[in-house]
Amino acid sequence: MTTASIFNLQCPIPISEYPTITLAHGGGGRLTQMLIEKMFAPAFRNETLEELHDGAILRVGEGRLAYSTDSFVISPRFFPGGDIGSLAVHGTVNDLAMCGAQPLALSAGFILEEGLPMDELWRIVQSLAEAARVVGAPVATGDTKVVDRGKGDGIYINTSGVGVIPEGIRIAPTRAQPGDKVIVSGRIAEHGMAIMSVREGLAFETELVSDSAPLHTLIAGLLDAAGEHVHVLRDPTRGGVSSALNEIAQAAKVGINLREDAIPLGDAVRGACEILGLDPLYVANEGKALAIVTPDHADAALAAIRRHPLGADAAIIGEVVPDHPRRVVMRSRIGGQRVVDMLSGEQLPRIC
Amino acid sequence: MTTASIFNLQCPIPISEYPTITLAHGGGGRLTQMLIEKMFAPAFRNETLEELHDGAILRVGEGRLAYSTDSFVISPRFFPGGDIGSLAVHGTVNDLAMCGAQPLALSAGFILEEGLPMDELWRIVQSLAEAARVVGAPVATGDTKVVDRGKGDGIYINTSGVGVIPEGIRIAPTRAQPGDKVIVSGRIAEHGMAIMSVREGLAFETELVSDSAPLHTLIAGLLDAAGEHVHVLRDPTRGGVSSALNEIAQAAKVGINLREDAIPLGDAVRGACEILGLDPLYVANEGKALAIVTPDHADAALAAIRRHPLGADAAIIGEVVPDHPRRVVMRSRIGGQRVVDMLSGEQLPRIC
């Protein structure tokens, strides 16, 4: 395609309906998906991007590398359970882990706003560095830009990561098959509710702590136990469990059934969700994985996850079905069924 | 080191003197260097980062990969000769090229401000995609965040890149040796002056066009011709030729002598610099390389660069010397000598 022909293409998102970017375009729900599917995917069309993974898979010599990027714009930048620095490491390490990869190296790109207190930067840099050390992946390359006052919000951080995918592992959202079990590695909605509690000044905020954590060793244990029988991995960040499972259902053209009473949820999170009128299925996690595993290896997979300190509350929460392809359906505690859609607006802006 | 001990460390930059981040911390000069050397480098201490390269070098199996990241906050986002989308590709491809690498894949992370016109995003995405296609490196993974109005400036883009370093190539700033020749691949200061002319509304702005371009094929030709005899490569972006050569002089503990009359400079750029009182040695380039090459291969290297369409005006502009280690000294047209320091303040904020 020549330059001329590309630049003659009409904007693939109807401008009359969506004249400008809105916060919901960054929320991880329906508008984010529209932006990716209608604008980014056609523009950047290539084989790796088409797998619609949390990261790309690069073939290098005999091996395979996972490659992922994530920008962090969370507000506030310090929160119960972490800060923008540690989150920037965990987010990218987890994206690599969801490709089945162990992290090899990270990059860090800082966009600082003029006026950011020097000691806040120092605290964030230390936190990011410490998180990387705990993970065992060096911050191998970096960049710093400064924007004028009023053109940023203190600090934004982009991290990217490169990881090594072990032989024999093939994780992809398209691999979800009817019969597969859906496992979640622990209690959901903790990150989003921790952020929300700080923003809203909820009285019980001290009980609400982000789950921000690196999942690569948990995933390594899972892959040791269930290997090629692990079909899909996904960390349910923006848009929560519902958006992650909807994306998988759409990619694999399958249905997914969930049981509400099986989904691990802490009391404080449940209470805060009720007060704020939020559905925990749509609230962001930063230290949880969804794993879709063949039925014969689901128990072994669950046991492996539970052996990890971050996976003690793991549970099988549903299964992949041939019915209602591309839809996620939940059976409630009282026996009713409802479709669990993608997030359609912006529930919690700047959650990561 | 434990978490506790790290977090007890005092901020390594004296807060009484530098209480907050200023625009100059992002300018590529002395304050940027202080931030890197005093804060980032000690916090992220690891072998790859210590090479102080434009990118890191990762050993993967038998091979070596270059890995680099760069955030782009340029204002205005459309300028003569490019836009933030194409620049985001060229900047990272060039950082990889300066490690001697050919690009394998890119990532793109967008931070969008609420209210960004959808069609502007579309133009930028197309431009970024087209630049990546021309380079031949897929945008393999991406991310989009949206920040509220007044917390950004339309669009910021981070790109990272992974590239393959051919066998036998060993590029590092520490390799500069007395006797080596300093080559620049063409006319300097074109990017910075193009941006400046738009911002200042200069009458002759139409003549000033950014040199934003990908240098990987130019570098491939150079390495074919001079291989291991190429000791250092650097693209003189923020802070210009002076900052890049000062960094090399410091890393290799050598002196560098320049001849002013050998430095390629276009008439329009020279005129604009004179009007605005800017020294072209400090003005950013986005499509130029500095190469430091052994004396016996300098002519072959220069000829190889000149054969490339982007290198027609390449010239030998100086040499590495054992005298005045860590300093760059220029002999002026009229025969005087002056020390060419690093940029100490912020000359042109948000130039890339």
Side-chain angles (χ1 to χ4, degrees), chain B residues 286-298:
Chain B
E286 290 291 349
K288 295 299 177 305
L290 293 164
I292 295 186
V293 183
T294 57
D296 51 329
H297 282 74

Side-chain angles (χ1 to χ4, degrees), chain A residues 235-281:
Chain A
D235 58 336
T237 56
R238 277 183 295 179
V241 168
S242 68
S243 295
L245 291 180
N246 268 283
E247 282 172 23
I248 295 166
Q250 289 170 22
K253 303 182 179 79
V254 295
I256 293 177
N257 283 347
L258 296 179
R259 284 180 294 114
E260 187 175 17
D261 61 4
I263 298 172
L265 192 63
D267 289 338
V269 167
R270 188 192 309 274
C273 282
E274 280 169 8
I275 288 170
L276 296 173
L278 296 172
D279 183 339
L281 281 178

Side-chain angles (χ1 to χ4, degrees), chain B residues 53-70:
Chain B
H53 237 281
D54 276 341
I57 293 170
L58 308 178
R59 276 151 195 90
V60 177
E62 306 282 285
R64 290 175 305 159
L65 294 179
Y67 183 30
S68 187
T69 188
D70 222 337

Side-chain angles (χ1 to χ4, degrees), chain B residues 74-115:
Chain B
I74 190 165
S75 172
R77 42 190 183 268
F78 298 93
F79 52 83
D83 57 62
I84 191 172
S86 53
L87 183 65
V89 170
H90 299 158
T92 286
V93 165
N94 292 348
D95 282 346
L96 296 175
M98 299 310 129
C99 299
Q102 293 298 300
L104 180 68
L106 302 173
S107 72
F110 296 90
I111 297 178
L112 309 178
E113 185 192 14
E114 188 186 9

Side-chain angles (χ1 to χ4, degrees), chain B residues 115-199:
Chain B
L116 175 71
M118 190 64 77
D119 60 343
E120 276 204 34
L121 175 60
W122 174 231
R123 284 167 63 197
I124 291 165
V125 165
Q126 288 176 91
S127 174
L128 195 158
E130 174 64 13
R133 249 188 305 268
V134 167
V135 165
V139 177
T141 183
D143 177 60
T144 308
K145 293 294 188 313
V146 180
V147 295
D148 18 329
R149 211 180 285 266
K151 301 292 185 186
D153 194 13
I155 181 168
Y156 299 142
I157 303 176
N158 175 284
T159 50
S160 76
V162 175
V164 178
I165 303 175
E167 252 185 89
I169 299 302
R170 200 160 68 84
I171 309 290
T174 48
R175 292 195 72 209
Q177 286 170 26
D180 286 355
K181 299 296 181 186
V182 179
I183 302 173
V184 67
S185 67
R187 297 178 188 188
I188 71 167
E190 293 183 345
H191 176 72
M193 293 320 295
I195 302 305
M196 207 60 184
S197 73
V198 177
R199 288 195 199 152

